Amino acid sequence: MTISIDMNQLIPAETKAARSVAEAKENAIETVTTKINEARASLMTDMIGQEMIYLAKEQEAKDWQAATKPDLANFPLLSAEVGITASSADELASLWLSMADQWRQKAASLEAIRLKAKADIGAAETADAVKKTLNDISW
């Protein structure tokens, strides 16, 4: 004679509920991370070192605008792109700074969503509350 025991029946309901909430939180955080990564990817160029170039362009643009009599020869990135993206260094510097500002605003918005979602998911006390929190995020 064989006796079959469902070990799951030996686990208290509170433990099952806690595991369920923990699993729901883990899955929700993974979902948030995936969606934020997708949103960031839509804003970024996928090329090695491109972020460094964008930061250097932003700094050159700031330095160009701050200079009283800038010499284009001292601004290699501006010099390389004038006539391609914009007709003058002034226009190009303004464009780069505008693009950097637009990116920063979008990045700040995504970071606020990510941080609030993580906090709200962390504070949720039930799996249903985790699900509701995830469904309530305005992407």
Side-chain angles (χ1 to χ4, degrees):
M1 173 157 117
T2 303
I3 298 175
S4 178
I5 299 174
D6 181 357
M7 298 303 279
N8 224 6
Q9 292 178 351
L10 300 177
I11 299 171
E14 297 82 19
T15 303
K16 288 179 188 177
R19 286 182 184 168
S20 176
V21 172
E23 185 177 296
K25 287 181 178 187
E26 184 178 323
N27 291 337
I29 293 296
E30 286 178 21
T31 297
V32 169
T33 300
T34 297
K35 288 188 177 267
I36 292 295
N37 281 337
E38 289 169 356
R40 286 179 182 169
S42 73
L43 303 171
M44 311 219 26
T45 303
D46 187 18
M47 293 173 57
I48 295 170
Q50 194 63 40
E51 296 94 348
M52 292 174 63
I53 291 173
Y54 289 151
L55 290 171
K57 284 181 174 186
E58 182 181 9
Q59 188 59 55
E60 270 197 24
K62 288 177 181 179
D63 293 346
W64 176 267
Q65 289 187 343
T68 51
K69 291 185 181 182
D71 180 354
L72 194 54
N74 296 325
F75 298 85
L77 293 169
L78 275 167
S79 180
E81 196 169 328
V82 168
I84 299 170
T85 305
S87 61
S88 74
D90 288 332
E91 290 175 12
L92 188 55
S94 292
L95 175 65
W96 286 352
L97 292 174
S98 176
M99 291 170 67
D101 184 58
Q102 289 172 32
W103 180 88
R104 206 167 261 107
Q105 294 300 318
K106 185 62 177 177
S109 173
L110 291 172
E111 188 65 353
I113 290 168
R114 185 185 74 81
L115 292 173
K116 181 167 181 357
K118 283 182 69 175
D120 290 349
I121 290 165
E125 295 182 3
T126 66
D128 285 341
V130 171
K131 183 177 179 180
K132 180 179 179 344
T133 296
L134 196 56
N135 290 336
D136 288 349
I137 297 172
S138 295
W139 301 101

